[in-house]
């Protein structure tokens, strides 16, 4: 039986809306893909109402269908914490709220994602978690706007869709996010987090330095391709990273089995569109 899923991803410089169909056999067809030059900052301040109207209009044709929403914050505030092994989702949410009260000033102004590290269970029945905090706005307002038109299956950062994407990849997968506000390296293996590190940056030179440092110093990634994306990812950055680190750097990859329905697929390979497609596939498979 064919099923469909819509998803939206808000990136640093652009936003993407996609609709995919699944035949139930692990094959997906992208039947709609629309990209707007509206990044995170377009949904802040005086521009917010007009930008939201444009973004919400992309999904008007499928009003009432369930939607998965992925947003890329300008800054992350990661925290490592230890929770009971195999704690249910609801319990983990409670633990994260407790950690937020200790870790953050005005914790009510933040959202979070959390996931356990691979093979991190200890003898005292605890496992290491990454709790990834980020500021709630403008994403909280955006999710409210979408929720008035669509049931929301997922709202969060690219972390969880990236981990799900790694499920179908046989070897370790490294994701390098290169933005003008941060450099993030995430290493996943079969759906589990193995490594996460985030460096705030103020300029491109800083981003280059921290990206090179991460790729040179991390033994987990020496044998895998680096999927790189973000507003600072371009040919010049690729050439520099490959020269300085000997790593193979490639654009963000699509999940296996994704095809395009008689359209120019180049628009669907932007960083925001790939995040939207990965989020849609995750929502369907979960």
């Amino acid at each position: 039986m064919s099923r469909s899923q819509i998803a939206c991803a808000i990136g640093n410089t652009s936003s993407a809306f996609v609709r995919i169909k699944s035949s139930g056999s692990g094959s997906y067809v992208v039947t709609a893909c629309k990209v707007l030059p509206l990044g995170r900052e377009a949904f802040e301040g005086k521009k917010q109402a007009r930008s939201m109207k444009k973004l919400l209009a992309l999904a008007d044709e499928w009003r009432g269908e369930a939607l998965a929403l992925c947003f890329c914050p300008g800054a992350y505030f990661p925290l490592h914490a230890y929770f009971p092994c195999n704690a249910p989702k609801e319990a983990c949410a409670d633990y994260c709220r407790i950690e937020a009260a200790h870790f953050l000033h005005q914790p009510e102004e933040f959202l979070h994602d959390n996931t356990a590290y691979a093979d991190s269970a200890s003898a005292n029945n605890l496992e290491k978690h990454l709790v990834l905090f980020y500021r709630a706005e403008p994403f909280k307002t955006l999710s409210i706007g979408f929720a008035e038109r669509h049931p929301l299956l997922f709202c969060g950062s690219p972390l969880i869709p990236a981990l799900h994407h790694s499920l179908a990849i046989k070897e370790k997968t490294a994701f390098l996010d290169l933005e003008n506000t941060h450099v993030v390296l995430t290493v996943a293996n079969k759906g589990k987090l193995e490594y996460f590190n985030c460096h705030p940056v103020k300029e491109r030179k800083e981003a280059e330095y921290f990206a090179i440092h991460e790729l040179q110093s991390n033994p987990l990634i020496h044998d895998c391709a680096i999927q790189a994306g973000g507003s600072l990812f371009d040919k010049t950055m690729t050439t520099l990273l490959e020269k300085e680190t000997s790593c193979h750097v490639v654009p963000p990859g699509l999940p296996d089995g994704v095809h395009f329905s008689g359209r120019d697929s180049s628009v669907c390979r932007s960083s925001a569109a790939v995040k939207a497609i990965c989020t849609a596939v995750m929502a369907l498979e979960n």
Side-chain angles (χ1 to χ4, degrees):
M1 180 179 177
S2 177
R3 295 189 302 145
S4 62
Q5 177 66 53
I6 56 177
C8 180
I10 295 103
N12 195 45
T13 57
S14 64
S15 298
F17 169 84
V18 302
R19 187 173 191 261
I20 66 174
K21 282 190 175 183
S22 166
S23 63
S25 59
S27 179
Y28 304 96
V29 178
V30 179
T31 58
C33 181
K34 305 173 184 178
V35 178
L36 287 178
L38 298 174
R40 171 181 43 82
E41 292 183 355
F43 301 98
E44 300 173 346
K46 295 180 179 179
K47 301 177 182 178
Q48 186 182 70
R50 183 166 58 180
S51 297
M52 279 188 62
K53 184 177 180 180
K54 291 180 180 179
L55 186 64
L56 293 171
L58 292 182
D60 270 352
E61 186 177 347
W62 299 282
R63 191 165 183 152
E65 289 191 18
L67 180 136
L69 181 60
C70 175
F71 28 74
C72 303
Y76 291 108
F77 304 90
L79 175 70
H80 289 131
Y82 285 84
F83 299 161
C85 288
N86 302 314
K89 186 177 180 180
E90 296 77 11
C92 284
D94 290 337
Y95 299 145
C96 289
R97 282 191 286 270
I98 294 170
E99 295 292 344
H102 294 287
F103 180 61
L104 300 169
H105 178 60
Q106 297 179 314
E108 69 279 2
E109 295 184 2
F110 289 80
L111 302 174
H112 72 269
D113 297 319
N114 104 88
T115 188
Y117 277 87
D119 302 320
S120 64
S122 62
N124 55 358
N125 203 35
L126 297 175
E127 61 184 357
K128 183 180 179 181
H129 277 243
L130 169 67
V131 185
L132 192 59
F133 294 105
Y134 43 89
R135 296 198 178 276
E137 293 298 343
F139 309 119
K140 186 176 181 179
T141 299
L142 278 166
S143 63
I144 291 171
F146 273 114
E148 292 174 351
R149 301 166 179 233
H150 307 273
L152 295 183
L153 296 181
F154 171 80
C155 288
S157 76
L159 174 66
I160 305 302
L163 294 179
H164 185 271
H165 179 26
S166 75
L167 270 172
I169 303 174
K170 294 180 181 179
E171 61 274 346
K172 280 189 179 74
T173 310
F175 303 97
L176 183 65
D177 188 25
L178 297 158
E179 295 291 356
N180 52 21
T181 55
H182 60 252
V183 170
V184 175
L185 179 65
T186 306
V187 182
N189 190 10
K190 298 178 181 177
K192 290 290 187 178
L193 181 66
E194 292 204 349
Y195 179 87
F196 179 93
N197 203 7
C198 175
H199 299 275
V201 300
K202 294 181 179 179
E203 59 182 12
R204 186 182 178 98
K205 285 293 183 183
E206 281 189 312
E208 293 172 351
Y209 170 81
F210 285 116
I212 291 169
H213 171 74
E214 283 291 337
L215 299 186
Q216 283 181 335
S217 62
N218 196 322
L220 290 172
I221 61 173
H222 287 171
D223 297 324
C224 63
I226 312 299
Q227 293 192 27
S231 57
L232 296 183
F233 178 60
D234 53 26
K235 290 183 179 179
T236 302
M237 182 68 82
T238 301
T239 301
L240 174 69
L241 295 182
E242 292 189 333
K243 176 183 176 183
E244 296 294 331
T245 69
S246 299
C247 290
H248 182 40
V249 181
V250 298
L254 292 168
D256 289 343
V258 171
H259 308 283
F260 301 95
S261 175
R263 61 181 63 249
D264 177 9
S265 65
S266 60
V267 69
C268 301
R269 295 186 182 274
S270 69
S271 182
V274 170
K275 285 183 173 67
I277 292 170
C278 289
T279 303
V281 170
M282 179 192 70
L284 271 178
E285 293 184 346
N286 283 345

